[in-house]
Amino acid sequence: MTELTNAAIEVDDAPPADPAHVKRAAVAGLVGTMLENYDFVIYGTASALVFSKLFFPSYSPTAGMIAAFGAYAIGFLARPLGGLFFSHYGEKFGRKWVLVTTLFLMGGATFAIGCLPTYETAGMWAPLLLVLCRFLQGFGAGAEQSGGATLLTETAPLGKRGRLSSFIMVGAALGTALGAIAWIAAQQLPDEAIMSWGWRAIFWSSIFVTIFAMIMRAKLAESPVFVELKKKGHGQDQAPLKVVAKHGAKNVLKVIFMNWGVSTQSYTYQVFMISYLVTVVGVDTHFVPPVQLAAAICAAFAAFAMGYLSDYVGRRKMTLILTGLLVVTPFLTFPGLNTGSPAMITFVLVFGYMFAAQGVTGVHMSFFPEIFGSRYRYAGVTLGREFSSIIGGGIAPLLCAALLGWFANSWIPVAIYMSLTMLVSFIVTYSLPETADRDLNLPEDAKWGEARLGAGRKA
């Protein structure tokens, strides 16, 4: 601990970030997560609408849906592995290096999905290749949001970390919107065209987002905190994962459970409820993408608004308000969907996207990096978020579909599942101290009374 304390003394005089670098980091973070969510949304929508027929046609409709969601879950199982791999290099060589590399991997894997043969032409090789591409997609995404959040939080000036770091989730919401636009465009085609080449064109379109994101990240500067640590040489001879295991393991576990309920509800709204509306409520498939588009646009504003408010009321309080609300709302969500009313369905999905999908995570983008010490911040945030993705978003659509099958299409077990996981997130958040505006050069994790909420209000 003496070594870490000395490091804090030496890096405490880190220079403030250049405003141009702050803006560039915000845009680069936004564009990167826009690509990530675009990839995941077009895949999730395809899982609900076409993949069960194209890659798993020998199963019953329900079994095909479960199989398609199982392939979807593989991407989440790969995320912690990608997080482990990339966080190691992100701590040793910088946040920017990782953010450039993951773009290539995610964009390439998504483009490859559009080139895959279907079950009709390749038999069992088709779902196997789909799972492989999905694995690579998830492996690349494993350090994307965490890396962007860490770099942006370390770059942003005091008093503005919440609002600027929320751009990561603004990008995620815009990626969802782009995915919805892509599916809206595809659904203007005849059904035969969608099933033959229309779905492929959606995945091929990711190359344009990838190129745009690469141009933005080529000009990205490294975070001031990492530059100072590298200049001083502290910890460069250590394995970052060993450092976080020694000094930050407790908070990694807390981040896992803080994010569990949030990740569960996020992907339940974004993926499972599409399938629920089509298979149980009987909604026309053409109705879903326009609602997703409206919900995603609203969610982009919500992510920024929640991050902005957290700069004033604090990360902990803002997160408790939102997670407390989301403990209750699942029991109102499904009755609203079951009305079959287009207006009510739209309201429910917009609410879910705004608060469960992007609102809480908009605050988490600054909250999580502020929890950890400077030498293992990237690794701590990445491991916490991505391991929670296994027990959260990765299995949520699959488990919800299974619960629906086990309980004769009853929504009550699904609502209980959503509520209980969010209750865990609420309780764990309550156990943490406020972190807003704490000194990010400190090598130790956040402590009670250390926050400096409002310290940079005039910045």
Side-chain angles (χ1 to χ4, degrees):
M1 186 63 70
T2 302
E3 176 190 344
L4 292 175
T5 304
N6 290 339
I9 295 173
E10 293 183 40
V11 300
D12 196 44
D13 60 350
D18 187 310
H21 291 168
V22 175
K23 293 178 182 178
R24 197 171 294 135
V27 174
L30 184 151
V31 173
T33 50
M34 182 171 66
L35 171 65
E36 177 190 348
N37 242 43
Y38 179 76
D39 292 350
F40 272 61
V41 166
I42 61 175
Y43 189 99
T45 305
S47 295
L49 300 182
V50 301
F51 278 176
S52 62
K53 300 174 183 176
L54 292 171
F55 291 93
F56 309 98
S58 60
Y59 302 139
S60 68
T62 301
M65 180 178 69
I66 292 174
F69 282 149
Y72 177 82
I74 292 296
F76 285 87
L77 294 175
R79 290 177 70 126
L81 299 178
L84 282 168
F85 179 82
F86 286 115
S87 65
H88 174 81
Y89 293 102
E91 294 288 17
K92 293 185 74 69
F93 303 121
R95 290 48 163 140
K96 176 182 175 179
W97 178 88
V98 170
L99 294 176
V100 171
T101 305
T102 54
L103 273 177
F104 278 114
L105 194 52
M106 288 189 303
T110 302
F111 184 84
I113 289 174
C115 302
L116 293 180
T118 62
Y119 188 92
E120 184 180 359
T121 58
M124 285 304 298
W125 280 106
L128 290 175
L129 289 171
L130 178 66
V131 168
L132 175 61
C133 288
R134 179 64 179 151
F135 179 89
L136 294 174
Q137 201 181 45
F139 193 83
E144 174 62 36
Q145 286 188 7
S146 301
T150 300
L151 186 145
L152 195 44
T153 302
E154 290 181 341
T155 303
L158 285 176
K160 296 184 180 179
R161 289 176 188 162
R163 70 196 74 175
L164 289 173
S165 297
S166 72
F167 271 66
I168 301 297
M169 299 318 298
V170 171
L174 293 178
T176 301
L178 283 178
I181 291 171
W183 272 104
I184 290 170
Q187 287 186 324
Q188 305 310 305
L189 299 169
D191 290 344
E192 295 79 8
I194 294 175
M195 299 301 289
S196 61
W197 61 268
W199 70 272
R200 296 183 185 277
I202 293 175
F203 284 88
W204 290 335
S205 67
S206 68
I207 195 68
F208 299 107
V209 185
T210 303
I211 292 171
F212 180 59
M214 286 302 306
I215 293 172
M216 295 305 304
R217 289 196 172 172
K219 302 177 181 180
L220 194 61
E222 192 53 79
S223 84
V225 172
F226 181 82
V227 169
E228 284 298 308
L229 284 171
K230 187 175 181 180
K231 184 171 67 176
K232 302 295 184 182
H234 292 293
Q236 294 301 302
D237 58 340
Q238 299 183 45
L241 296 179
K242 290 184 179 179
V243 178
V244 73
K246 181 177 180 181
H247 300 287
K250 181 178 178 181
N251 279 334
V252 168
L253 288 174
K254 288 191 174 185
V255 168
I256 288 173
F257 289 109
M258 281 177 72
N259 200 49
W260 182 26
V262 177
S263 180
T264 295
Q265 288 207 19
S266 174
Y267 286 94
T268 299
Y269 277 101
Q270 294 186 82
V271 179
F272 169 75
M273 286 187 186
I274 299 171
S275 180
Y276 181 85
L277 286 169
V278 173
T279 60
V280 178
V281 181
V283 169
D284 187 277
T285 56
H286 291 76
F287 171 76
V288 174
V291 174
Q292 284 183 302
L293 174 59
I297 292 172
C298 292
F301 287 102
F304 180 78
M306 299 305 126
Y308 186 93
L309 288 172
S310 76
D311 281 332
Y312 288 88
V313 305
R315 319 286 184 239
R316 179 176 180 270
K317 182 182 290 185
M318 199 69 231
T319 305
L320 287 173
I321 291 171
L322 294 171
T323 53
L325 175 66
L326 293 168
V327 169
V328 178
T329 50
F331 297 97
L332 304 175
T333 292
F334 286 97
L337 296 178
N338 289 338
T339 64
S341 164
M344 181 58 70
I345 291 171
T346 301
F347 174 80
V348 168
L349 290 183
V350 167
F351 173 87
Y353 274 57
M354 287 182 66
F355 293 96
Q358 311 300 349
V360 185
T361 47
V363 181
H364 279 177
M365 290 300 98
S366 51
F367 196 179
F368 287 169
E370 287 176 337
I371 289 172
F372 292 100
S374 59
R375 265 299 298 133
Y376 48 84
R377 177 169 293 122
Y378 194 165
V381 176
T382 301
L383 296 179
R385 290 194 81 245
E386 299 312 328
F387 274 100
S388 74
S389 74
I390 297 179
I391 62 173
I395 66 169
L398 181 62
L399 183 54
C400 288
L403 288 171
L404 207 62
W406 292 337
F407 292 92
N409 284 349
S410 172
W411 58 267
I412 295 176
V414 178
I416 292 172
Y417 163 60
M418 294 170 65
S419 182
L420 288 178
T421 57
M422 190 62 74
L423 180 61
V424 172
S425 294
F426 177 89
I427 292 171
V428 176
T429 301
Y430 188 81
S431 72
L432 281 162
E434 179 56 64
T435 64
D437 292 344
R438 73 178 292 255
D439 184 358
L440 294 184
N441 289 314
L442 293 173
E444 299 93 353
D445 289 350
K447 300 175 183 177
W448 290 91
E450 192 178 49
R452 297 184 292 173
L453 184 61
R457 194 62 58 226
K458 296 181 180 180

